Amino acid sequence: MHWIDWCITIIPVGFVMWLAVYSRRYARGVADFLAAGRVAGRYVISVGDLEGGLGLYTLVMLVEVNYQTGYALSFWEYLVAPLSIVMALTGYCTYRYRETKALSMGQFLEMRYNRPFRIFASVLRATAETLANGIGPAVAASFFIYFLGLPFQFTIGGFEIPLYGAVMAFGLFLAVVVMWMGGRVSLLITDCIQGLMSYPIFVIIVVYILTTFSWNNEIAPTLLDRVPGQSFLNPFDIEQLRDFNLFALGVTVMWRILNRASWFGADSTGSGRTPHEQKMAGILGSWRNGFATIMCTMVAIAVITVLSHEHFASEARVIRQELSSKVIEEVVADPAMAAKLRENLAAIPEQHHRIGIDAPPSQQSNLDTVYFNVVSDTLGHDGEGNFLFQKFRTKFNQMMLAVSFRELLPVGLMGLFCLLMVMLMISTDASRMFNSSMVIMQDIVMPFRKTPLTPEQHVLWLRMSSVSVAVFFFLFSIYFVQLDYIRMFTTIMAGVWLGGAGPVMVFGLYSRFGNTVGAFSAVIFGSGVSVGGMVMQRIWAQHAYPFIERMGWAETGDKILRAVSAPMNPYVQWHLDPVKFPINSWELLGIAMVGGLIAYVGGSLLTYRKPYNLDRMLHRGKYSIDGEKHIKSAWTWRSFMGKLIGITPEYTRGDRWIAWSVFLYTFGYQIGLCFVVVVIWNVIAPWPAEWWSLYFLINSVIIAAVIGVISTVWFMVGGFIDLRRLFRDLEARRDNPLDDGRVENQVSLMDKVVFEAKALDDDDEKNGKGTRR
């Protein structure tokens, strides 16, 4: 990069790190370190969640997915949007979890079930969360090496040091510094500041892409040029898409409903000033993305266009050759084989794909296929050759964004994009490390201690736990070999917990019949399916398929798989493949969640004894421990619509405007106009392909850009005001010892509630009444 780009990157990152160090003065106790003293406002939470939720590897993942499947599937995601909005407006799970006053999910699980399940579930969750997030530092290190054109090794004093490990260690060090200083306080402040700095960068990148590529002459023709059944724009022509298709969307719908609360307790869901403020932060999440969504969309479109349209044939060959050479350097250890691969790939000529004349590309045959075929044939088709080819293809797909944008971006803009990716890396890594360490400390270590830690010891142990997680991230990223799309990898890893956690949390918050037997049954089944599938995916090319082939079972196994998946064709197609396990991660997650739900309900009903006391867990009525009043209002025809979207007497006039704006935009514009009207129109008279290009331009680019400008200004102003108030409230807590102990006393009260609940259970057992669980 140019020195200007380095300045653009380094100076803002230095400011963020200074803020992290400065925020240490506000972390005066465990409650501050874990939940920022519960004084955060809605805009600080919302903007910070945008930055922490996007992440560097998330952007890389989105480009990887959209390069394969385009944007037609996003039309059907309008069916998912109402679920998210309704859940946000009604406070589904979020409000009740906040009412429990639990500072961690483990604390909630012990209140609702028992301590053994708390420990078991927390170990499982921490394992799944750590493994799923462990890929983040690896993707980030690879991205910067490919984006900056750095070597994989450098020499100091005659010793060769792998740059991959050094870059990853430096990124984790920055994240540890942010987390170490003030815990949740530091994360809230730095995430919000980074989010506010990211908004203008989103706008600049979108403007650059739209002015660099012609929509009518380059972008639209490229997106429309696909084989039947794999359209990038027409949602009624996607039945042949594999991996990321309508079945995956169905699993996503189920996942969002069941697992709404499955990650609660180790994020900002406990940092709001009140349950209502926390709820409003969730509602604002519908508007906060602004230009972030359109930026992700346009970045992927830029990569697709530059690698596919004949106007950029020379640039595309340079990108593919540099990308292939870099991947070979990373994954092929044999120098002779690496040299042979480079020689064979260099012989591939510049490809001029003529749209409308040449055969349209597909997932099976496209401009990348010739590179994959050369690599596969050169490596050989035995177990080891298939394994190396799988590694090459995975890394090739992941690093398209890095190499493409290195060739595309001019001076200045390259620095801004690098700054954005650094901030996304720091925010995501710090948040993920803190979340994992919090679960480990609060829900695994603390239940085994017979004597409580002092606040100073507790905070130190949390910090050391985060460092331990960072070390694990580093070692995991160094030695683990990823063989699938990032989205698939994170799905199956998270499925170890999410496969059975959904019923445990949802029925734990809302049902009176759920009990410990059902909880154990759900988690064991869900995690078992995910772990089994993950192991098979890892050993398939090297060991499992060669064994099946040696035993002569390949043909019979292929017939069985095809017969089992036939009722779900064309969206689910199982067949034996020598390179890839036939059941993908989305399908495994779907099996795990359905089985986990059945196991929870069945296990709970079979061992049901007496209704669970939800009022005591939610501190309602006589069980209130802080005097907080729960305002209730009667259902009337006048209040029907307001109650339907979650409006309560706690809402101010501004809150009502926000809630109604989200409801009307989602159900009136997105669902009513953009989805229902379009579906009816196409059922009566199907649109030509060109109309879908116009629809995408108007809806996903022009209107999205207008809304993005409004929301960007809105959240930047609201974020700065809310951040200023956060600093003022933190200063007040710092200067007022009584206020400083408010949440600490609440923690003690919560521990007392858990203890008393256990005592009641013991009494019930002694009296032969069974337990309340």
Side-chain angles (χ1 to χ4, degrees):
M1 289 198 305
H2 195 274
W3 67 268
I4 296 177
D5 296 318
W6 285 111
C7 291
I8 291 174
T9 302
I10 293 173
I11 294 174
V13 171
F15 173 67
V16 171
M17 301 309 295
W18 175 83
L19 269 179
V21 175
Y22 179 79
S23 66
R24 181 173 184 173
R25 61 190 302 195
Y26 301 123
R28 303 194 62 193
V30 178
D32 290 329
F33 201 83
L34 292 179
R38 287 180 171 164
V39 295
R42 61 188 66 173
Y43 288 100
V44 167
I45 295 174
S46 191
V47 174
D49 284 350
L50 164 67
E51 192 73 6
L54 181 54
L56 183 153
Y57 81 90
T58 306
L59 182 55
V60 173
M61 175 186 70
L62 291 174
V63 172
E64 184 183 32
V65 171
N66 291 327
Y67 185 82
Q68 299 295 325
T69 61
Y71 295 92
L73 185 63
S74 63
F75 177 82
W76 299 108
E77 291 176 359
Y78 282 128
L79 295 173
V80 181
L83 290 174
S84 301
I85 300 304
V86 169
M87 289 189 291
L89 290 171
T90 59
Y92 169 64
C93 290
T94 307
Y95 196 92
R96 286 203 172 197
Y97 180 82
R98 183 64 174 80
E99 281 186 304
T100 67
K101 305 185 187 302
L103 282 177
S104 71
M105 180 181 289
Q107 192 177 41
F108 163 75
L109 292 176
E110 184 170 352
M111 283 190 288
R112 183 59 177 86
Y113 300 105
N114 60 23
R115 176 162 291 193
F117 181 73
R118 168 185 184 169
I119 297 170
F120 173 76
S122 298
V123 169
L124 195 63
R125 175 187 170 177
T127 302
E129 186 174 18
T130 305
L131 291 176
N133 294 322
I135 192 178
V139 174
S142 294
F143 175 86
F144 288 114
I145 289 174
Y146 281 74
F147 182 68
L148 301 174
L150 303 175
F152 281 99
Q153 292 182 332
F154 64 99
T155 303
I156 296 181
F159 294 96
E160 285 194 347
I161 300 175
L163 186 62
Y164 175 75
V167 172
M168 186 161 45
F170 181 69
L172 289 171
F173 170 75
L174 295 179
V176 167
V177 170
V178 171
M179 177 285 312
W180 180 280
M181 294 303 167
R184 182 62 62 193
V185 174
S186 298
L187 290 173
L188 274 175
I189 293 173
T190 56
D191 283 355
C192 183
I193 285 293
Q194 290 177 97
L196 294 173
M197 288 194 292
S198 295
Y199 275 121
I201 300 177
F202 294 155
V203 177
I204 294 171
I205 291 174
V206 170
V207 171
Y208 172 77
I209 293 173
L210 289 174
T211 55
T212 300
F213 299 94
S214 168
W215 183 271
N216 293 326
N217 297 325
E218 294 165 347
I219 295 177
T222 300
L223 296 179
L224 291 170
D225 186 37
R226 302 294 292 184
V227 297
Q230 296 186 16
S231 174
F232 272 15
L233 292 177
N234 185 353
F236 295 92
D237 187 29
I238 58 173
E239 64 274 6
Q240 296 301 323
L241 288 177
R242 181 72 175 126
D243 292 328
F244 308 102
N245 52 22
L246 288 177
F247 181 85
L249 182 62
V251 174
T252 301
V253 172
M254 181 185 299
W255 175 84
R256 292 199 180 186
I257 296 173
L258 280 179
N259 288 295
R260 169 71 170 175
S262 296
W263 291 125
F264 279 3
D267 52 17
S268 60
T269 50
S271 302
R273 284 192 290 269
T274 63
H276 175 70
E277 197 72 6
Q278 195 77 51
K279 178 180 176 181
M280 290 305 301
I283 295 173
L284 286 169
S286 304
W287 291 120
R288 73 175 176 224
N289 293 334
F291 257 94
T293 300
I294 188 174
M295 188 273 296
C296 294
T297 300
M298 297 311 301
V299 164
I301 286 177
V303 174
I304 295 170
T305 304
V306 77
L307 290 177
S308 304
H309 200 279
E310 62 178 336
H311 288 178
F312 307 98
S314 60
E315 291 91 338
R317 184 177 187 276
V318 171
I319 291 171
R320 287 191 174 94
Q321 288 289 336
E322 291 187 2
L323 178 57
S324 299
S325 179
K326 201 75 175 175
V327 174
I328 291 169
E329 181 184 354
E330 181 178 2
V331 304
V332 181
D334 183 1
M337 177 59 73
K340 185 177 180 181
L341 281 168
R342 291 193 181 92
E343 180 182 354
N344 293 343
L345 289 170
I348 299 176
E350 189 174 290
Q351 300 179 85
H352 290 268
H353 176 74
R354 297 166 297 176
I355 297 176
I357 299 175
D358 297 332
S362 66
Q363 286 185 320
Q364 294 73 30
S365 178
N366 51 65
L367 297 180
D368 299 323
T369 304
V370 61
Y371 285 81
F372 292 154
N373 289 341
V374 167
V375 172
S376 179
D377 293 340
T378 305
L379 291 173
H381 299 284
D382 58 354
E384 187 63 26
N386 287 336
F387 178 68
L388 286 176
F389 170 67
Q390 201 172 7
K391 291 172 64 177
F392 175 89
R393 184 174 61 183
T394 299
K395 187 64 71 171
F396 185 95
N397 289 328
Q398 282 182 12
M399 293 298 113
M400 279 182 178
L401 170 62
V403 178
S404 297
F405 267 50
R406 189 181 77 201
E407 298 296 325
L408 284 175
L409 298 180
V411 174
L413 197 54
M414 190 169 182
L416 283 176
F417 189 70
C418 186
L419 168 63
L420 175 64
M421 300 305 270
V422 171
M423 291 193 298
L424 294 179
M425 176 193 68
I426 294 174
S427 177
T428 304
D429 286 352
S431 298
R432 302 300 190 265
M433 283 192 301
F434 184 76
N435 295 349
S436 297
S437 65
M438 179 176 168
V439 173
I440 293 170
M441 185 63 194
Q442 294 298 106
D443 302 329
I444 300 175
V445 176
M446 293 300 291
F448 284 106
R449 287 192 57 84
K450 296 181 180 180
T451 57
L453 296 171
T454 65
E456 293 78 12
Q457 290 175 326
H458 199 155
V459 171
L460 178 61
W461 281 42
L462 283 166
R463 285 171 170 158
M464 296 308 298
S465 177
S466 296
V467 173
S468 300
V469 172
V471 172
F472 176 84
F473 277 11
F474 178 81
L475 296 175
F476 179 79
S477 297
I478 285 288
Y479 293 108
F480 186 81
V481 178
Q482 186 199 347
L483 301 175
D484 206 348
Y485 299 113
I486 297 175
R487 184 64 177 272
M488 291 296 190
F489 173 84
T490 56
T491 296
I492 193 62
M493 285 295 186
V496 173
W497 167 245
L498 299 180
V504 171
M505 294 301 297
V506 173
F507 287 108
L509 287 167
Y510 288 93
S511 80
R512 297 181 185 273
F513 73 88
N515 60 29
T516 306
V517 174
F520 269 109
S521 301
V523 172
I524 290 173
F525 183 89
S527 62
V529 171
S530 298
V531 170
M534 181 174 57
V535 171
M536 289 303 298
Q537 289 178 345
R538 180 63 180 81
I539 68 173
W540 183 258
Q542 273 185 303
H543 305 291
Y545 183 82
F547 173 77
I548 293 172
E549 196 172 42
R550 285 196 306 270
M551 299 300 294
W553 299 340
E555 184 176 351
T556 303
D558 185 70
K559 290 180 180 179
I560 293 174
L561 286 172
R562 291 180 186 274
V564 172
S565 64
M568 297 175 285
N569 282 349
Y571 304 108
V572 176
Q573 300 180 27
W574 295 342
H575 61 88
L576 284 186
D577 185 293
V579 177
K580 190 174 181 180
F581 184 60
I583 306 176
N584 69 34
S585 298
W586 282 112
E587 293 156 0
L588 288 168
L589 179 60
I591 295 170
M593 287 194 297
V594 171
L597 177 61
I598 295 173
Y600 184 93
V601 175
S604 296
L605 293 179
L606 287 174
T607 57
Y608 177 77
R609 294 180 180 177
K610 59 183 295 187
Y612 178 79
N613 191 341
L614 282 177
D615 288 340
R616 178 166 57 191
M617 183 184 73
L618 300 174
H619 306 101
R620 293 178 176 178
K622 64 180 181 180
Y623 300 104
S624 177
I625 63 175
D626 55 6
E628 184 177 322
K629 296 182 178 180
H630 297 272
I631 304 173
K632 295 183 178 180
S633 60
W635 283 80
T636 64
W637 285 109
R638 184 176 181 181
S639 66
F640 175 77
M641 282 302 297
K643 281 183 169 289
L644 190 65
I645 64 174
I647 293 178
T648 66
E650 297 171 292
Y651 277 56
T652 64
R653 177 175 295 181
D655 295 342
R656 293 171 185 267
W657 275 100
I658 292 172
W660 275 109
S661 69
V662 171
F663 180 82
L664 293 175
Y665 174 74
T666 302
F667 289 92
Y669 173 71
Q670 288 189 318
I671 302 301
L673 182 62
C674 296
F675 183 76
V676 175
V677 171
V678 174
V679 168
I680 295 174
W681 191 338
N682 276 271
V683 169
I684 299 173
W687 286 1
E690 292 73 16
W691 285 27
W692 286 109
S693 170
L694 184 61
Y695 170 85
F696 185 81
L697 173 63
I698 295 174
N699 183 47
S700 300
V701 179
I702 297 176
I703 294 180
V706 173
I707 294 174
V709 170
I710 296 172
S711 62
T712 295
V713 175
W714 176 12
F715 276 83
M716 288 188 69
V717 173
F720 277 117
I721 294 174
D722 227 0
L723 189 62
R724 182 180 178 184
R725 179 176 178 179
L726 175 64
F727 277 113
R728 186 177 67 244
D729 291 344
L730 289 172
E731 286 286 354
R733 280 177 51 78
R734 181 170 177 265
D735 297 335
N736 188 348
L738 293 177
D739 188 55
D740 186 55
R742 176 175 59 88
V743 183
E744 300 290 350
N745 290 335
Q746 191 180 85
V747 176
S748 299
L749 283 169
M750 285 305 304
D751 291 337
K752 182 179 178 182
V753 169
V754 174
F755 175 79
E756 290 176 348
K758 286 183 170 296
L760 288 172
D761 284 349
D762 294 340
D763 291 341
D764 287 343
E765 285 287 352
K766 292 177 182 178
N767 296 329
K769 298 179 181 179
T771 68
R772 66 190 177 93
R773 305 181 199 285

